[in-house]
Amino acid sequence: MFRRFATEPGLIGLDWAGFRDAEAPARRFATDGYLGSDDGRLIVDVDDEAGAAGFVSWHASGYGVAMYWEIGIALLPDWRGRGIGWRAQALLCDYLFTHTPAPRVEARTHPENIAEQKALEKAGFQREGVLRAAEFRAGQWRDGWIYGRLRGEPPTA
């Protein structure tokens, strides 16, 4: 599935940034199973019969000495719009807050991705601002929206 997201245009939605090394996901998995000290990925598994719906990811970021996590999610098209994304992101936040001392988790999305904005809000995130010209996509610089959830803030749904 990781290979598909790296090589199939449109599968990842607005986040498609061009073709990537198709073997990079296998090399990374062989190195540490996608569970590094500064980043990682986990499969979003819906049930035993359906298999993987997508994945969640996280990586360390910060300001000065303050470390926090930035998370992301990629669901296969058949699984979008079913309420899986917000739950997966809320569970990932719970996991990161339980197992690391980070005071916050961030997520970024596109202004036109209304479904992800609603999912982040259900998962307990608040929109904090606009990142102007933060992403180069489809031949032009575009704004992004940043969301944050602080330790102790529960999901809203």
Side-chain angles (χ1 to χ4, degrees):
M1 179 182 52
F2 295 149
R3 179 180 293 157
R4 287 186 65 201
F5 279 114
T7 60
E8 292 183 30
L11 186 65
I12 201 163
L14 294 172
D15 286 321
W16 174 253
F19 291 103
R20 299 290 184 253
D21 179 357
E23 297 306 316
R27 286 192 303 272
R28 172 63 195 269
F29 188 79
T31 300
D32 64 5
Y34 270 106
L35 295 174
S37 59
D38 292 329
D39 65 347
R41 288 184 181 177
L42 293 171
I43 296 293
V44 176
D45 190 16
V46 180
D47 61 42
D48 291 335
E49 294 177 23
F55 67 91
V56 290
S57 62
W58 66 95
H59 69 268
S61 197
Y63 299 104
V65 298
M67 189 282 294
Y68 62 85
W69 298 108
E70 184 178 334
I71 68 167
I73 188 167
L75 294 177
L76 293 167
D78 289 348
W79 295 104
R80 296 176 191 158
R82 296 183 176 196
I84 295 165
W86 80 264
R87 288 181 179 92
Q89 291 175 104
L91 288 169
L92 179 57
C93 282
D94 292 345
Y95 173 81
L96 293 170
F97 284 139
T98 298
H99 298 286
T100 73
R104 67 181 277 116
V105 175
E106 280 186 6
R108 299 173 185 199
T109 191
H110 308 282
E112 60 268 40
N113 193 344
I114 305 301
E116 174 62 357
Q117 293 164 30
K118 290 179 181 179
L120 288 170
E121 290 166 3
K122 277 184 148 181
F125 286 80
Q126 295 179 31
R127 190 168 76 197
E128 296 178 333
V130 175
L131 300 167
R132 297 180 309 140
E135 174 188 31
F136 189 77
R137 176 172 40 93
Q140 59 185 258
W141 287 99
R142 299 170 188 268
D143 294 347
W145 286 0
I146 188 166
Y147 283 74
R149 179 174 161 191
L150 302 180
R151 179 178 293 277
E153 293 178 341
T156 56

